[in-house]
């Protein structure tokens, strides 16, 4: 979990340029591993709304392909998918329906129980979802390291792009049931800022050291659907978004000038996306190669 210790906004960029990393980051908990940079294919659908079931099936298909490559002792490169979802609730492998504030038979949106770790969460427009499908043999075969490194990506995005300084709160990370080398990683309690607002959630699965599922960052998300669940099973935490936080501080006298001009929703999504890609690339020491896929092509493929 992450709690901001200091909030200090500078002018927010309104163009989709990559923000340079600060020379002196506020934390060094997860230094980049000094190994040779490896390639990572990236499917960029960050402006698109992709049904959850489609994306979930696509992930499992890619995992299956990577396992086959490993069995053949062939190179198994990393993959990254970034997208938005239509409104949906997802639950982890051991999630409790007690955290649903509605009858599951009369749910406001589709509800999927998945093999990831963690409790129920919501995905919807304005939330950037990042699915790293990576071979931890290429990095570090340590599940806690992987969680901390995903967490580091979000911390750096908040810090380098929006000057939201955050620190970790320990004790809310764990491993779910393991079946051989198949783990559900319980990590729903992720990125927090001032007033304990929850900006992001992390829940992953690792099978034969191949990761899938991932993280979700609330950028311009309508937060109303979160009120119909207990997000990640935490009753004493609020949910927030980058947009909401910026607007709150824009309305204050102290920060009114600092956040002008204020980006619109599309710009804020693009800014956040570029920052996520940049920080993911640096923290995981990967060279990102964009791999084009259009929505019509996506529907035609057997994902």
């Amino acid at each position: 979990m992450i709690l901001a210790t200091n909030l200090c906004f500078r002018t927010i960029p309104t163009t989709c340029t990559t923000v340079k990393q600060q020379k002196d980051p506020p934390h060094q908990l997860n230094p980049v591993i000094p190994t040779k940079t490896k390639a990572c294919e990236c499917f960029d659908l960050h402006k698109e709304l992709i049904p959850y079931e489609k994306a979930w099936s696509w992930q499992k298909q890619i995992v299956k392909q990577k396992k086959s490559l490993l069995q053949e002792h062939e190179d198994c490169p990393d993959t990254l998918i970034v997208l938005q979802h239509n409104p949906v609730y997802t639950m982890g492998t051991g999630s409790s329906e007690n955290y649903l504030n509605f009858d599951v038979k009369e749910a406001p949106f589709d509800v999927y129980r998945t093999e990831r770790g963690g409790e129920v969460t919501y995905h919807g427009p304005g939330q950037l979802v990042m699915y790293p499908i990576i071979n931890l043999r290429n990095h570090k075969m340590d599940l806690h390291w992987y969680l901390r490194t995903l967490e580091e990506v979000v911390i750096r995005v908040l810090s380098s792009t929006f000057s939201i300084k955050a620190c970790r709160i320990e004790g809310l990370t764990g491993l779910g049931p393991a079946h051989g080398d198949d783990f559900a990683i319980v990590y729903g309690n992720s990125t927090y800022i001032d007033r304990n607002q929850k900006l992001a959630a992390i829940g992953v699965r690792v099978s034969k050291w191949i990761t899938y599922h991932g993280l979700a960052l609330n950028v311009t998300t309508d937060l109303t659907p979160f009120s119909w669940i207990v997000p990640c099973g935490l009753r004493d935490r609020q949910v927030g978004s980058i947009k909401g936080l910026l607007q709150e501080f824009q309305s204050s006298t102290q920060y009114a000038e600092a956040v002008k001009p204020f980006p619109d929703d599309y710009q804020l999504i693009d800014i956040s996306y570029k920052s996520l890609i940049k920080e993911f690339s640096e923290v995981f020491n990967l060279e990102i190669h964009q791999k084009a896929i259009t929505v019509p092509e996506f529907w035609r493929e057997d994902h």
Side-chain angles (χ1 to χ4, degrees):
M1 184 191 294
I2 307 166
L3 181 69
T5 57
N6 184 30
L7 296 172
C8 178
F9 290 94
R10 60 176 174 271
T11 301
I12 304 301
T14 57
T15 59
C16 302
T17 56
T18 301
V19 180
K20 293 184 178 180
Q21 174 68 33
Q22 296 173 334
K23 292 183 179 180
D24 299 312
H27 44 76
Q28 290 293 340
L29 297 183
N30 282 308
V32 175
I33 298 177
T35 57
K36 183 179 179 181
T37 301
K38 295 180 174 62
C40 175
E41 62 179 6
C42 176
F43 293 97
D44 174 16
L45 292 166
H46 82 277
K47 296 181 180 180
E48 309 295 341
L49 293 177
I50 304 299
Y52 184 83
E53 188 175 22
K54 277 280 188 180
W56 184 19
S57 176
W58 188 18
Q59 289 180 75
K60 290 186 285 188
Q61 180 183 359
I62 294 174
V63 170
K64 183 178 180 180
Q65 292 170 348
K66 292 187 184 301
K67 287 181 179 179
S68 296
L69 290 173
L70 290 174
Q71 289 179 350
E72 298 297 326
H73 303 287
E74 296 183 18
D75 184 42
C76 180
D78 294 335
T79 301
L80 178 65
I81 301 171
V82 186
L83 45 70
Q84 298 179 54
H85 283 306
N86 301 95
V88 66
Y89 291 115
T90 68
M91 303 174 69
T93 183
S95 293
S96 171
E97 292 186 8
N98 292 333
Y99 294 126
L100 304 179
N101 297 328
F102 52 79
D103 186 335
V104 70
K105 295 179 181 179
E106 299 179 356
F109 307 115
D110 288 339
V111 179
Y112 291 97
R113 183 176 292 275
T114 75
E115 63 277 279
R116 67 162 173 79
E119 291 290 344
V120 63
T121 194
Y122 166 76
H123 299 304
Q127 181 191 76
L128 286 177
V129 182
M130 176 179 279
Y131 293 129
I133 309 174
I134 66 177
N135 178 13
L136 290 180
R137 295 173 181 81
N138 294 337
H139 301 274
K140 189 173 183 178
M141 294 168 67
D142 182 326
L143 303 181
H144 290 286
W145 170 87
Y146 178 60
L147 288 174
R148 293 305 188 195
T149 308
L150 280 182
E151 186 181 51
E152 182 80 358
V153 171
V154 180
I155 290 175
R156 291 190 180 199
V157 168
L158 295 175
S159 175
S160 67
T161 303
F162 304 106
S163 290
I164 303 174
K165 299 182 185 296
C167 65
R168 290 175 174 83
I169 295 178
E170 302 297 334
L172 292 176
T173 304
L175 298 181
H179 305 282
D181 54 1
D182 211 354
F183 295 87
I185 300 184
V186 179
Y187 199 76
N189 321 321
S190 53
T191 306
Y192 284 81
I193 52 101
D194 189 40
R195 300 178 184 173
N196 289 328
Q197 291 185 37
K198 185 174 185 296
L199 262 68
I202 297 174
V204 306
R205 187 84 182 185
V206 180
S207 179
K208 298 186 183 300
W209 299 108
I210 303 295
T211 72
Y212 59 119
H213 295 285
L215 67 86
L217 176 62
N218 296 331
V219 182
T220 64
T221 323
D222 176 7
L223 303 179
T224 303
F226 284 104
S227 66
W228 303 330
I229 60 174
V230 181
C232 303
L234 299 175
R235 297 187 183 277
D236 59 343
R237 306 290 177 178
Q238 301 177 26
V239 176
S241 67
I242 292 175
K243 177 183 177 179
L245 185 65
L246 295 182
Q247 287 179 330
E248 178 182 342
F249 279 85
Q250 186 188 39
S251 63
S252 70
T253 302
Q254 183 179 2
Y255 296 103
E257 295 301 322
V259 295
K260 290 183 179 178
F262 193 83
D264 62 29
D265 284 7
Y266 294 106
Q267 291 172 325
L268 200 52
I269 286 287
D270 278 343
I271 292 164
S272 301
Y273 164 75
K274 295 229 173 186
S275 185
L276 276 169
I277 293 297
K278 175 182 179 295
E279 302 303 340
F280 179 84
S281 172
E282 292 188 359
V283 171
F284 281 92
N285 198 28
L286 290 168
E287 183 177 338
I288 304 298
H289 296 277
Q290 297 289 343
K291 193 166 182 179
I293 181 170
T294 64
V295 171
E297 178 186 358
F298 184 87
W299 299 139
R300 287 196 301 270
E301 295 294 330
D302 184 22
H303 297 313

